[in-house]
Amino acid sequence: AIDIYLLCFAVLGNLSFAVQVMAFQLTTSSTVNGITRDELHNFLATPTNWPKIVASSHSVKCPSFSTNSVESPLAVGDYVEEVFGLPPILPLSVVWQCIVSDVSRGKLEFSSESGVPMLAKKCKMNFTIEDATDGCRVELAMEFEPENPIVYAGIPILSADNSLAL
């Protein structure tokens, strides 16, 4: 579902206009065969796996203010800094905090209030993992509030990137 309510003002000659945008949500789902819910949850909760499956994810590291490992599944309260985009030409990064990690309910959620400076804020990455025949069904819901109209040009790329990852 797309809910767009961004507040931005632009002046073109004598024409002024305002467009309100609150949040954008992109949902992708897939079935992964030959894996248990626990295995898939642990794989997705381990940030060093992200660049292996997400084309735009360049690297991950532990932020300087944190001490947790990014080479094992993140626990609630742990942080990871993800570098994405096209480094070194367009290096973007976001610091994610794990806010839900519940294998039994199939929930894994990450949040970044500050998001990507000047592009997006209040970013969320929510995984729902369910048992399926011969594997698991995973759904990824990404949500953010755009802070710059240029973000909309990147949405088709984000959508394709998420589809390829799952």
Side-chain angles (χ1 to χ4, degrees):
I2 300 175
D3 296 321
I4 300 177
Y5 305 93
L6 165 70
L7 185 61
C8 71
F9 297 94
V11 177
L12 301 171
N14 292 329
L15 177 64
S16 295
F17 63 93
V19 180
Q20 183 181 8
V21 175
M22 288 291 275
F24 176 85
Q25 184 177 8
L26 178 64
T27 303
T28 308
S29 63
S30 181
T31 300
V32 183
N33 293 321
I35 193 167
T36 67
R37 183 167 46 177
D38 291 1
E39 291 169 333
L40 185 54
H41 184 278
N42 287 335
F43 182 86
L44 294 171
T46 303
T48 51
N49 290 327
W50 299 354
K52 297 173 187 175
I53 62 170
V54 180
S56 66
S57 184
H58 179 266
S59 59
V60 295
K61 63 182 179 180
C62 185
S64 60
F65 61 84
S66 187
T67 59
N68 59 270
S69 172
V70 296
E71 296 179 11
S72 58
L74 296 185
V76 172
D78 286 350
Y79 291 89
V80 61
E81 181 177 352
E82 179 183 18
V83 178
F84 64 100
L86 298 171
I89 299 166
L90 183 63
L92 302 172
S93 69
V94 60
V95 175
W96 295 106
Q97 181 182 29
C98 181
I99 58 171
V100 175
S101 182
D102 188 334
V103 177
S104 64
R105 288 188 18 226
K107 299 288 182 188
L108 181 61
E109 300 179 7
F110 299 92
S111 178
S112 178
E113 283 296 311
S114 59
V116 182
M118 298 186 300
L119 293 176
K121 64 181 180 180
K122 296 185 180 178
C123 301
K124 296 179 183 178
M125 184 167 54
N126 301 329
F127 293 94
T128 302
I129 305 165
E130 300 172 336
D131 292 323
T133 305
D134 296 328
C136 295
R137 181 180 180 280
V138 60
E139 179 180 279
L140 168 60
M142 294 199 73
E143 186 176 313
F144 57 89
E145 289 185 15
E147 291 193 300
N148 187 320
I150 199 164
V151 170
Y152 296 103
I155 289 173
I157 296 167
L158 177 63
S159 178
D161 200 28
N162 288 350
S163 293
L164 289 172
L166 296 183

